[in-house]
Amino acid sequence: MSDDFRRQLSAAQAWARKTHAEGWLDAGAVGALDALTDQSPASLFDDASHRPLVVALFGGTGAGKSTLINRLAGQAIARTGVERPTSREVSLYLHDSLDLKRLPEHFPLERVRTARHHDESLRPVLWIDMPDVDSIETGNRDTVLAWLPHIDLLIYVVSPERYRDDRGWRILLEQVQSHAWLFVMNHWDHGHPQQLEDFGRLLRQGGFEQPILFRTDSREPAERRRPDDFTELADQVKSLADRHVIDQLAQRNLALRRAKLTAALHGALAGLGAEERIDALPERWAKIWRETAKSLRAGLEWPVQEVARGFVAREASALDKRISLDEPPADRPEPDGVLWDEWAGMELQDALDRLVLESAGELPVAPLRTRLSEIAPKARRLVLGEARRGLRHALARPGGNLRRFCLRLSGLSAWLLPLAAIGWVSWDVVNAFYQSEKTHSGYLGTDFAIHAGLLIAITWLLPWFVHQRLKPSAEKTALQGLRAGVEAGLLAVELAVRDALDRYVEDWRTRAREGTSLLPADEAKLPAPESASLARLIPKAGRAGDYRPSHSASR
């Protein structure tokens, strides 16, 4: 197996596990990548360039795999019988000159038995007798699946009585493209040509356009055997034990594994959700927040008025203390419980839950829920903090700029105009006294006194009245400040949610970039078999899953 593929697979699996642990991927995506393996027939040998063809016999109970492999080997390497060991274990038959690597850790060593020979004609082939997958031993299936990646050629052995039993085929459906296939109907002494024809038809439905199907009768003694195709089977296997054919199968195996890795990565990336869904997430929240903020403004209006009245009701000495919405006088309701009560908290939480719910099925919601879980606990602090700030600013600078200017102007006028009037009246009194001394005429009369008094009163009363009317009431000032503060608090909550969404989006893009970078640079394509004989051993792509034999007996 290529070292590049091994590194790619290892990196992809590590990324999937890490991303799953963070909540971005479901277990199915991780399982699809973990199901892939970097093992191959070449990984069984120290010298892969001179390795043999790895051939395995696969079939159900009673198919006669052991008798067939004994016949192929020319000696009894596999024991037969009802309780034969090979019903539970894997038997290897190989030449003395071949060195096997230490078997992978996931192989159950107690289920592997090795037999060696000196027959030079059988040196190019490593024979494997697989367990009966339909036996009562539940570990057989795991053993077969563990060995499948190490096999070049699978010889599927059936009997005339049970060739429609699909349990063996179902196990190999996912692996069907990974191997070359030969088919054997063993126990031909009990077979009929119609059964062979029917079996061939089923194989063609399964994707083998011209399946290579042999009849064998491996009974002992040999004199009792019916004429069969054993010689053709042995010659076919020997012809496949060619370095060029082995290389073709290895290249196809590698391309198939790369294609499976690409498909699994695409599936995992699809599990992250589409990029357009991520791009639409802020707008989705904006729509939800518009409705929620409108509801909160309406629902908080009465609490704002209640808190404003509470502050007006404080004694003058209390204004010198720290203005706080969480330390109210004993004679009025708890402001925190009024200004941001359980209802307001639930309104915000409902909006956040709605965003998560609407994103479910389109985006990973576990990290989104984690990000948004930070908002609700600090929303109360944000709103109350802004409300306090707004109240302080309003009390420090009541009214608007124009109103404060007019207020200062009227207050100044309330002092300057009466003083000016008094000065003018005083000057007129002095001047009248001086004139009366010169002319010995009368002094000021009653009319002058009345008019002067009215003038002084009007110059004082008019600016004083305007000043009083311009002076904002404490309740209105507090109300204005609280409203501005609540509005600023709601804006702070919205910005906090947007910040959480921005971090979620950035995390999503990081995971997506990491996963995309693991995709093979070029698309993996299965190489076409170079010969028509090899093409007959490989199912047509996309049709291998069509074969669905029934459990009924053959006709």
Side-chain angles (χ1 to χ4, degrees):
M1 179 57 61
S2 167
D3 290 338
D4 289 340
F5 175 78
R6 184 175 292 108
R7 286 191 293 268
Q8 289 173 352
L9 178 60
S10 178
Q13 291 172 337
W15 169 81
R17 295 189 192 104
K18 175 177 177 291
T19 309
H20 170 66
E22 295 169 344
W24 294 92
L25 284 181
D26 58 23
V30 181
L33 282 166
D34 281 343
L36 302 180
T37 177
D38 60 357
Q39 299 298 306
S40 68
S43 61
L44 289 176
F45 304 93
D46 291 319
D47 185 5
S49 62
H50 295 87
R51 71 172 181 89
L53 180 75
V54 182
V55 182
L57 275 69
F58 176 86
T61 304
K65 300 187 304 298
S66 295
T67 57
L68 181 58
I69 199 171
N70 287 342
R71 187 178 177 188
L72 287 166
Q75 58 180 296
I77 62 170
R79 286 170 286 178
T80 60
V82 176
E83 293 296 329
R84 62 189 179 89
T86 47
S87 64
R88 299 181 301 275
E89 67 185 13
V90 174
S91 294
L92 307 182
Y93 186 56
L94 69 163
H95 194 269
D96 275 333
S97 63
L98 296 175
D99 293 324
L100 290 178
K101 282 185 178 179
R102 182 176 178 271
L103 295 179
E105 295 180 357
H106 63 276
F107 279 13
L109 298 181
E110 71 278 2
R111 288 175 172 260
V112 178
R113 189 170 64 91
T114 303
R116 293 185 174 271
H117 64 85
H118 305 283
D119 190 344
E120 196 63 27
S121 65
L122 295 178
R123 186 183 183 281
V125 179
L126 166 61
W127 295 96
I128 302 178
D129 186 12
M130 303 287 276
D132 298 333
V133 294
D134 58 352
S135 71
I136 60 174
E137 181 65 42
T138 57
N140 285 356
R141 181 181 186 276
D142 294 335
T143 301
V144 170
L145 292 178
W147 275 93
L148 281 179
H150 300 272
I151 296 169
D152 292 307
L153 174 65
L154 272 171
I155 300 179
Y156 189 34
V157 184
V158 299
S159 65
E161 294 81 8
R162 302 186 62 181
Y163 70 89
R164 281 182 168 268
D165 191 338
D166 68 342
R167 275 177 287 185
W169 188 276
R170 282 184 296 171
I171 291 178
L172 300 182
L173 280 180
E174 294 182 357
Q175 302 284 339
V176 69
Q177 289 285 335
S178 305
H179 313 280
W181 291 74
L182 292 175
F183 300 95
V184 174
M185 182 171 284
N186 201 19
H187 299 316
W188 183 238
D189 52 308
H190 298 295
H192 190 277
Q194 289 184 353
Q195 293 171 320
L196 194 68
E197 180 182 347
D198 185 48
F199 187 39
R201 181 180 58 81
L202 294 176
L203 294 175
R204 285 189 292 274
Q205 291 177 1
F208 294 89
E209 296 183 348
Q210 293 181 303
I212 300 178
L213 178 57
F214 300 99
R215 306 163 299 165
T216 59
D217 179 6
S218 302
R219 291 177 296 164
E220 295 294 343
E223 293 79 11
R224 299 175 54 190
R225 297 170 183 165
R226 289 179 57 183
D228 60 9
D229 305 320
F230 176 79
T231 302
E232 291 82 351
L233 170 63
D235 291 342
Q236 180 74 57
V237 173
K238 289 180 181 179
S239 68
L240 295 173
D242 176 78
R243 174 53 46 194
H244 185 62
V245 174
I246 293 175
D247 289 343
Q248 286 188 68
L249 292 175
Q251 292 172 9
R252 178 182 176 82
N253 186 285
L254 176 58
L256 183 65
R257 290 167 191 266
R258 292 182 63 199
K260 288 183 177 181
L261 174 58
T262 301
L265 277 172
H266 278 301
L269 290 171
L272 290 177
E275 188 167 6
E276 55 266 22
R277 299 299 183 186
I278 276 287
D279 294 337
L281 191 60
E283 181 58 33
R284 174 177 287 173
W285 167 247
K287 178 181 178 181
I288 295 174
W289 178 247
R290 283 194 294 269
E291 301 174 5
T292 304
K294 181 179 180 181
S295 175
L296 285 172
R297 290 188 189 98
L300 292 177
E301 180 60 25
W302 178 85
V304 165
Q305 296 179 10
E306 187 72 11
V307 173
R309 284 193 293 269
F311 272 95
V312 173
R314 286 185 173 187
E315 294 81 9
S317 59
L319 294 178
D320 295 332
K321 299 179 181 179
R322 180 176 64 89
I323 298 177
S324 174
L325 299 184
D326 53 9
E327 296 180 3
D331 59 345
R332 64 186 181 87
E334 170 69 38
D336 280 8
V338 174
L339 190 57
W340 189 263
D341 56 8
E342 184 179 356
W343 171 84
M346 289 300 298
E347 281 287 298
L348 175 60
Q349 189 61 55
D350 288 345
L352 298 175
D353 290 343
R354 178 182 168 187
L355 179 62
V356 173
L357 184 63
E358 290 185 4
S359 301
E362 299 177 353
L363 295 170
V365 295
L368 178 60
R369 187 180 290 108
T370 300
R371 287 294 187 189
L372 296 180
S373 65
E374 307 168 358
I375 304 301
K378 67 180 181 182
R380 178 174 177 272
R381 175 170 52 83
L382 289 173
V383 174
L384 293 178
E386 292 296 334
R388 293 188 189 103
R389 186 177 294 107
L391 183 60
R392 287 175 180 269
H393 291 174
L395 292 175
R397 297 172 59 85
N401 292 331
L402 179 60
R403 184 166 187 166
R404 286 195 298 273
F405 172 77
C406 294
L407 186 65
R408 287 193 296 269
L409 181 62
S410 62
L412 184 63
S413 299
W415 284 96
L416 293 179
L417 289 179
L419 288 176
I422 292 173
W424 183 78
V425 169
S426 299
W427 179 83
D428 200 33
V429 169
V430 173
N431 183 58
F433 177 78
Y434 173 75
Q435 293 297 332
S436 67
E437 286 294 323
K438 289 176 61 177
T439 61
H440 301 283
S441 60
Y443 192 49
L444 299 176
T446 304
D447 290 344
F448 177 81
I450 294 173
H451 292 157
L454 288 175
L455 176 63
I456 294 173
I458 289 173
T459 56
W460 170 80
L461 183 62
L462 182 60
W464 177 85
F465 176 78
V466 173
H467 182 77
Q468 293 299 317
R469 297 303 299 176
L470 288 175
K471 184 184 297 184
S473 69
E475 182 175 342
K476 288 184 178 179
T477 299
L479 186 60
Q480 181 182 11
L482 286 173
R483 283 174 177 165
V486 168
E487 191 65 32
L490 294 179
L491 178 60
V493 172
E494 180 186 11
L495 293 178
V497 176
R498 286 188 175 274
D499 180 65
L501 293 181
D502 289 343
R503 285 182 287 157
Y504 170 82
V505 170
E506 181 59 31
D507 289 344
W508 182 94
R509 296 192 188 283
T510 299
R511 273 66 178 181
R513 283 195 300 268
E514 291 174 350
T516 303
S517 67
L518 297 172
L519 290 170
D522 54 338
E523 183 180 355
K525 295 183 179 180
L526 293 180
E530 297 183 8
S531 63
S533 59
L534 184 58
R536 295 181 62 187
L537 305 178
I538 298 173
K540 187 176 181 181
R543 292 187 56 195
D546 297 339
Y547 177 37
R548 291 292 188 272
S550 66
H551 290 279
S552 61
S554 61
R555 292 177 294 185

